């Protein structure tokens, strides 16, 4: 695995987009791709793509482009996709239940190892166990979990995050409609569906 380098957060986001494009090329049995073609598929300029990939050294061949399998493997290593990463989900309401049923996480190298709510219960059609919140700290420690998905009400989000961080969570995908206060070594990506719709509404006026 390549040595970890300091990569800007926006570049990390674009790496995920490049990886999706490379996966489609692999499915179509394409062996090589030019920087221009990959950049167009990803919706970025080719200069930006080359700058993002330059963090990992010389990956392409002048005149030939990038080997699709090799580039996908390198990006997969950087993003932690080449081994299954355990993730916990906290908050098993309507949104949390829907996220538990989403099959795309495992395809991209992430497995919801357990979900947590006020009380244990079974979600129909899902094999993921739903455990009580009181079981969360021990589970995080025993399973060495570093990532979490948060889908609890805004009123309880901060206290839940405090407990997760205290016991080892370092990265959080936040669906709770609130701003979270976390230490500098913890990364939070927030998805506010209402805000996203508001942004889209601007373009249909």
């Amino acid at each position: 695995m390549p040595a970890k380098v300091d990569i800007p957060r926006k570049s990390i986001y674009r790496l995920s987009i490049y990886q999706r494009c490379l996966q489609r090329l692999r499915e179509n049995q394409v062996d090589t791709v030019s920087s221009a073609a990959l950049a167009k598929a990803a919706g970025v300029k080719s200069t930006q793509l080359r700058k993002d990939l330059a963090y990992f050294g010389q990956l392409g061949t002048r005149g030939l482009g990038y080997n699709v399998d090799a580039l996908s493997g390198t990006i997969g290593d950087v993003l932690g996709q080449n081994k299954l990463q355990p993730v916990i989900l906290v908050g098993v309401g309507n949104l949390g239940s829907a996220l538990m049923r989403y099959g795309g996480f495992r395809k991209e190298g992430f497995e919801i190892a357990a979900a947590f709510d006020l009380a244990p219960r079974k979600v129909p059609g899902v094999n993921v166990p739903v455990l009580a919140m009181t079981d969360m700290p021990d589970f995080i420690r025993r399973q060495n979990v570093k990532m979490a998905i948060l889908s609890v009400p805004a009123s309880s989000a901060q206290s839940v995050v405090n407990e997760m961080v205290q016991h080892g969570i370092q990265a959080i995908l936040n669906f709770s409609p609130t701003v979270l206060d976390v230490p500098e070594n913890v990364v939070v990506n927030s998805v506010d569906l209402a805000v996203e719709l508001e942004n889209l509404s601007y373009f249909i006026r």
Side-chain angles (χ1 to χ4, degrees), residues 71-102:
L71 182 56
S72 178
T74 297
I75 293 177
D77 281 337
V78 172
L79 298 178
Q81 294 177 314
N82 292 340
K83 63 177 182 178
L84 205 59
Q85 287 201 48
V87 181
I88 61 168
L89 184 146
V90 183
V92 190
N94 291 332
L95 178 57
S97 298
L99 291 170
M100 290 173 67
R101 294 187 178 94
Y102 177 58

Short mmCIF file of all heavy atoms in Angstrom, two decimals, residues 71-102:
data_model
loop_
_atom_site.label_atom_id
_atom_site.label_comp_id
_atom_site.label_asym_id
_atom_site.label_seq_id
_atom_site.Cartn_x
_atom_site.Cartn_y
_atom_site.Cartn_z
N LEU A 71 -4.50 1.79 -12.00
CA LEU A 71 -4.93 3.05 -11.41
C LEU A 71 -6.07 2.83 -10.41
O LEU A 71 -6.09 3.41 -9.33
CB LEU A 71 -5.37 4.03 -12.50
CG LEU A 71 -5.80 5.42 -12.02
CD1 LEU A 71 -4.70 6.09 -11.21
CD2 LEU A 71 -6.20 6.30 -13.21
N SER A 72 -7.00 1.94 -10.76
CA SER A 72 -8.10 1.63 -9.85
C SER A 72 -7.58 1.01 -8.56
O SER A 72 -8.05 1.32 -7.47
CB SER A 72 -9.09 0.68 -10.53
OG SER A 72 -10.14 0.34 -9.65
N GLY A 73 -6.55 0.14 -8.69
CA GLY A 73 -5.97 -0.49 -7.50
C GLY A 73 -5.28 0.52 -6.61
O GLY A 73 -5.40 0.46 -5.38
N THR A 74 -4.56 1.47 -7.22
CA THR A 74 -3.87 2.50 -6.45
C THR A 74 -4.86 3.38 -5.71
O THR A 74 -4.71 3.65 -4.51
CB THR A 74 -2.99 3.37 -7.37
OG1 THR A 74 -1.98 2.55 -7.97
CG2 THR A 74 -2.33 4.49 -6.58
N ILE A 75 -5.89 3.82 -6.41
CA ILE A 75 -6.91 4.67 -5.76
C ILE A 75 -7.64 3.87 -4.69
O ILE A 75 -7.95 4.40 -3.61
CB ILE A 75 -7.90 5.22 -6.81
CG1 ILE A 75 -7.17 6.20 -7.74
CG2 ILE A 75 -9.07 5.93 -6.12
CD1 ILE A 75 -8.04 6.75 -8.85
N GLY A 76 -7.92 2.61 -4.95
CA GLY A 76 -8.58 1.76 -3.95
C GLY A 76 -7.76 1.64 -2.68
O GLY A 76 -8.31 1.67 -1.57
N ASP A 77 -6.44 1.52 -2.83
CA ASP A 77 -5.57 1.48 -1.65
C ASP A 77 -5.65 2.77 -0.86
O ASP A 77 -5.75 2.77 0.37
CB ASP A 77 -4.11 1.24 -2.08
CG ASP A 77 -3.83 -0.22 -2.40
OD1 ASP A 77 -4.56 -1.08 -1.90
OD2 ASP A 77 -2.87 -0.47 -3.15
N VAL A 78 -5.60 3.90 -1.57
CA VAL A 78 -5.63 5.20 -0.91
C VAL A 78 -6.95 5.41 -0.18
O VAL A 78 -6.98 5.91 0.96
CB VAL A 78 -5.41 6.33 -1.95
CG1 VAL A 78 -5.63 7.70 -1.31
CG2 VAL A 78 -4.01 6.25 -2.54
N LEU A 79 -8.04 5.00 -0.79
CA LEU A 79 -9.37 5.19 -0.20
C LEU A 79 -9.74 4.09 0.78
O LEU A 79 -10.81 4.14 1.40
CB LEU A 79 -10.44 5.27 -1.31
CG LEU A 79 -10.31 6.43 -2.29
CD1 LEU A 79 -11.39 6.34 -3.35
CD2 LEU A 79 -10.38 7.77 -1.57
N GLY A 80 -8.87 3.09 0.93
CA GLY A 80 -9.16 2.01 1.87
C GLY A 80 -10.21 1.05 1.38
O GLY A 80 -10.89 0.39 2.17
N GLN A 81 -10.36 0.92 0.05
CA GLN A 81 -11.40 0.06 -0.51
C GLN A 81 -10.96 -1.38 -0.71
O GLN A 81 -11.80 -2.24 -0.94
CB GLN A 81 -11.86 0.61 -1.87
CG GLN A 81 -12.57 1.95 -1.80
CD GLN A 81 -12.91 2.45 -3.19
OE1 GLN A 81 -12.08 2.42 -4.10
NE2 GLN A 81 -14.13 2.91 -3.36
N ASN A 82 -9.66 -1.63 -0.66
CA ASN A 82 -9.16 -2.95 -1.02
C ASN A 82 -9.20 -3.94 0.14
O ASN A 82 -8.70 -5.05 0.03
CB ASN A 82 -7.75 -2.83 -1.61
CG ASN A 82 -7.79 -2.12 -2.96
OD1 ASN A 82 -8.83 -2.05 -3.60
ND2 ASN A 82 -6.66 -1.60 -3.39
N LYS A 83 -9.75 -3.53 1.25
CA LYS A 83 -10.09 -4.45 2.34
C LYS A 83 -11.39 -3.96 2.95
O LYS A 83 -11.67 -2.77 2.99
CB LYS A 83 -8.98 -4.50 3.39
CG LYS A 83 -8.72 -3.20 4.12
CD LYS A 83 -7.65 -3.40 5.19
CE LYS A 83 -7.43 -2.08 5.95
NZ LYS A 83 -6.44 -2.24 7.04
N LEU A 84 -12.21 -4.89 3.38
CA LEU A 84 -13.54 -4.55 3.88
C LEU A 84 -13.41 -3.80 5.21
O LEU A 84 -12.84 -4.29 6.17
CB LEU A 84 -14.36 -5.82 4.08
CG LEU A 84 -15.88 -5.68 4.03
CD1 LEU A 84 -16.32 -5.11 2.70
CD2 LEU A 84 -16.54 -7.03 4.27
N GLN A 85 -13.93 -2.57 5.23
CA GLN A 85 -13.85 -1.74 6.43
C GLN A 85 -15.17 -1.80 7.20
O GLN A 85 -16.23 -1.56 6.64
CB GLN A 85 -13.57 -0.29 6.06
CG GLN A 85 -12.17 -0.03 5.59
CD GLN A 85 -11.80 1.43 5.74
OE1 GLN A 85 -12.01 2.04 6.78
NE2 GLN A 85 -11.23 2.00 4.69
N PRO A 86 -15.10 -2.10 8.50
CA PRO A 86 -16.33 -2.12 9.30
C PRO A 86 -16.81 -0.70 9.60
O PRO A 86 -16.02 0.19 9.88
CB PRO A 86 -15.90 -2.84 10.58
CG PRO A 86 -14.44 -2.54 10.71
CD PRO A 86 -13.91 -2.46 9.30
N VAL A 87 -18.12 -0.53 9.54
CA VAL A 87 -18.76 0.76 9.83
C VAL A 87 -19.94 0.48 10.75
O VAL A 87 -20.61 -0.54 10.62
CB VAL A 87 -19.28 1.42 8.53
CG1 VAL A 87 -19.92 2.78 8.82
CG2 VAL A 87 -18.17 1.57 7.50
N ILE A 88 -20.18 1.37 11.69
CA ILE A 88 -21.40 1.25 12.50
C ILE A 88 -22.40 2.32 12.05
O ILE A 88 -22.01 3.37 11.52
CB ILE A 88 -21.14 1.38 14.01
CG1 ILE A 88 -20.54 2.75 14.36
CG2 ILE A 88 -20.27 0.25 14.49
CD1 ILE A 88 -20.52 3.04 15.85
N LEU A 89 -23.67 2.03 12.25
CA LEU A 89 -24.74 2.98 11.96
C LEU A 89 -25.49 3.26 13.26
O LEU A 89 -25.87 2.31 13.96
CB LEU A 89 -25.69 2.43 10.90
CG LEU A 89 -26.81 3.36 10.43
CD1 LEU A 89 -27.10 3.13 8.96
CD2 LEU A 89 -28.09 3.17 11.25
N VAL A 90 -25.68 4.52 13.56
CA VAL A 90 -26.36 4.89 14.80
C VAL A 90 -27.62 5.67 14.46
O VAL A 90 -27.56 6.72 13.83
CB VAL A 90 -25.45 5.73 15.72
CG1 VAL A 90 -26.16 6.03 17.04
CG2 VAL A 90 -24.13 5.00 15.98
N GLY A 91 -28.77 5.13 14.89
CA GLY A 91 -30.06 5.75 14.60
C GLY A 91 -30.80 4.94 13.56
O GLY A 91 -30.58 5.11 12.36
N VAL A 92 -31.69 4.05 13.98
CA VAL A 92 -32.36 3.14 13.06
C VAL A 92 -33.83 3.56 12.90
O VAL A 92 -34.74 2.81 13.22
CB VAL A 92 -32.24 1.67 13.52
CG1 VAL A 92 -32.73 0.72 12.43
CG2 VAL A 92 -30.79 1.35 13.86
N GLY A 93 -34.02 4.79 12.42
CA GLY A 93 -35.35 5.23 12.03
C GLY A 93 -35.59 4.89 10.58
O GLY A 93 -35.01 3.94 10.05
N ASN A 94 -36.44 5.67 9.90
CA ASN A 94 -36.73 5.38 8.50
C ASN A 94 -35.48 5.50 7.63
O ASN A 94 -35.20 4.63 6.80
CB ASN A 94 -37.81 6.34 7.98
CG ASN A 94 -39.16 6.07 8.61
OD1 ASN A 94 -39.46 4.95 9.01
ND2 ASN A 94 -39.99 7.10 8.71
N LEU A 95 -34.72 6.57 7.82
CA LEU A 95 -33.52 6.77 7.02
C LEU A 95 -32.46 5.72 7.37
O LEU A 95 -31.85 5.13 6.47
CB LEU A 95 -32.95 8.17 7.24
CG LEU A 95 -31.65 8.50 6.50
CD1 LEU A 95 -31.82 8.30 4.99
CD2 LEU A 95 -31.20 9.93 6.80
N GLY A 96 -32.25 5.49 8.65
CA GLY A 96 -31.26 4.50 9.06
C GLY A 96 -31.58 3.12 8.53
O GLY A 96 -30.69 2.40 8.06
N SER A 97 -32.85 2.74 8.56
CA SER A 97 -33.26 1.43 8.05
C SER A 97 -33.00 1.33 6.55
O SER A 97 -32.56 0.29 6.05
CB SER A 97 -34.74 1.18 8.34
OG SER A 97 -34.98 1.16 9.74
N ALA A 98 -33.27 2.43 5.84
CA ALA A 98 -33.02 2.44 4.39
C ALA A 98 -31.53 2.31 4.09
O ALA A 98 -31.13 1.58 3.18
CB ALA A 98 -33.58 3.72 3.78
N LEU A 99 -30.70 2.97 4.88
CA LEU A 99 -29.26 2.88 4.68
C LEU A 99 -28.75 1.47 4.96
O LEU A 99 -27.83 0.99 4.30
CB LEU A 99 -28.54 3.88 5.60
CG LEU A 99 -28.74 5.36 5.24
CD1 LEU A 99 -28.19 6.25 6.35
CD2 LEU A 99 -28.06 5.70 3.92
N MET A 100 -29.34 0.80 5.92
CA MET A 100 -28.95 -0.58 6.22
C MET A 100 -29.25 -1.51 5.06
O MET A 100 -28.55 -2.51 4.86
CB MET A 100 -29.66 -1.07 7.48
CG MET A 100 -29.20 -0.41 8.76
SD MET A 100 -30.20 -0.88 10.19
CE MET A 100 -29.80 -2.62 10.35
N ARG A 101 -30.27 -1.18 4.27
CA ARG A 101 -30.66 -2.04 3.14
C ARG A 101 -29.85 -1.73 1.87
O ARG A 101 -29.93 -2.48 0.91
CB ARG A 101 -32.15 -1.86 2.83
CG ARG A 101 -33.08 -2.35 3.93
CD ARG A 101 -34.53 -2.30 3.49
NE ARG A 101 -35.42 -2.80 4.50
CZ ARG A 101 -36.04 -2.04 5.40
NH1 ARG A 101 -35.86 -0.72 5.38
NH2 ARG A 101 -36.84 -2.56 6.30
N TYR A 102 -29.09 -0.66 1.89
CA TYR A 102 -28.34 -0.26 0.70
C TYR A 102 -27.18 -1.21 0.46
O TYR A 102 -26.30 -1.37 1.30
CB TYR A 102 -27.84 1.18 0.87
CG TYR A 102 -26.99 1.67 -0.28
CD1 TYR A 102 -27.48 1.68 -1.58
CD2 TYR A 102 -25.69 2.11 -0.07
CE1 TYR A 102 -26.71 2.13 -2.63
CE2 TYR A 102 -24.91 2.57 -1.12
CZ TYR A 102 -25.42 2.57 -2.40
OH TYR A 102 -24.66 3.02 -3.43
#
